[in-house]
Amino acid sequence: MARIIRYREAGLVGYDEGLALQQEIHAEVLAGGTPTLLSLEHPPVYTLGRREAPDRFKQERPGDIPVVKTDRGGEITYHGPGQAVVYVFLRLEPWRLTLPKLVEAIEQSIIDLAASYGITAERKEGWRGVFVGPQKLASIGLSVHRDVTMHGLALNVSNDLTPFHHIHPCGLPIEMCSLQSLGIEGLTRAEAGRRLAERLAELLKATLVD
């Protein structure tokens, strides 16, 4: 039987609203529904992963950006308009996937997208996410509940990078970059999210449907 992944575009969604939507889709997939890739962007928000880090903020954080605790993997990151967020919902066991293998496929989809614009992106041993030289371009944080994944990736497309200056992104002593800061102009968040979903579906040997 051919593998099918459903694609959903949600636009600009508040983080709490987006989490409720994630829980809704997770329940659908858990009940036997079609695996889904949800593409969206969030208003400015810092999110904390399951890992504890006492020095998440390296300087006083902007008072108007909320901080939300989540159950995804990883440490602190920032989401904001212009950042392509793609959440991944699928059962691992029927697809013969482990969580590390899924993360590798997500990373590869980002690397391939960057390459299509002439940017050499790569993994770094021991770190999750995708990097361009010493800077980090995309972050990945997943969780698994009853064999169905939640959360996903965040690729900096054209978002303001200033809020990252207040944190150690993903607990690392690094600076963040975006496709825009690397010279790619005119690529929208929605287009980047769609292209990432298409490539990830290909890597998982699946057909993406709307």
Side-chain angles (χ1 to χ4, degrees), residues 134-153:
Q135 297 181 312
K136 192 171 189 181
L137 178 63
S139 301
I140 298 171
L142 295 167
S143 65
V144 182
H145 301 279
R146 297 173 66 185
D147 197 48
V148 177
T149 61
M150 283 181 63
H151 302 287
L153 71 94

Side-chain angles (χ1 to χ4, degrees), residues 152-173:
L153 71 94
L155 168 67
N156 297 323
V157 179
S158 59
N159 47 299
D160 179 13
L161 298 175
T162 305
F164 285 110
H165 299 166
H166 296 266
I167 64 174
H168 295 286
C170 305
L172 302 175

Side-chain angles (χ1 to χ4, degrees), residues 4-131:
I4 299 294
I5 298 179
R6 179 178 58 159
Y7 179 77
R8 289 183 61 174
E9 167 60 53
L12 181 65
V13 180
Y15 193 81
D16 289 344
E17 180 185 351
L19 182 57
L21 181 55
Q22 282 200 71
Q23 292 167 341
E24 175 187 316
I25 297 172
H26 182 274
E28 291 172 357
V29 175
L30 183 62
T34 305
T36 299
L37 298 177
L38 173 66
S39 177
L40 50 75
E41 60 188 331
H42 290 302
V45 61
Y46 290 112
T47 65
L48 309 178
R50 291 191 300 268
R51 293 183 187 174
E52 293 295 329
D55 57 347
R56 290 177 172 123
F57 289 95
K58 60 185 179 183
Q59 52 184 278
E60 186 175 354
R61 70 179 176 88
D64 58 343
I65 299 181
V67 179
V68 178
K69 177 70 175 177
T70 78
D71 66 347
R72 62 164 172 77
E75 296 187 13
I76 190 170
T77 195
Y78 166 77
H79 298 305
Q83 182 187 67
V85 176
V86 179
Y87 292 131
V88 181
F89 307 87
L90 59 80
R91 278 189 177 275
L92 294 174
E93 194 279 330
W95 287 49
R96 297 182 180 179
L97 280 172
T98 62
L99 191 57
K101 287 295 184 184
L102 176 58
V103 171
E104 287 179 8
I106 293 171
E107 289 172 338
Q108 192 62 50
S109 71
I110 299 165
I111 290 168
D112 292 346
L113 175 65
S116 73
Y117 289 97
I119 294 172
T120 301
E122 61 185 357
R123 300 177 179 88
K124 286 191 181 294
E125 187 175 355
W127 292 356
R128 282 304 183 191
V130 173
F131 300 79

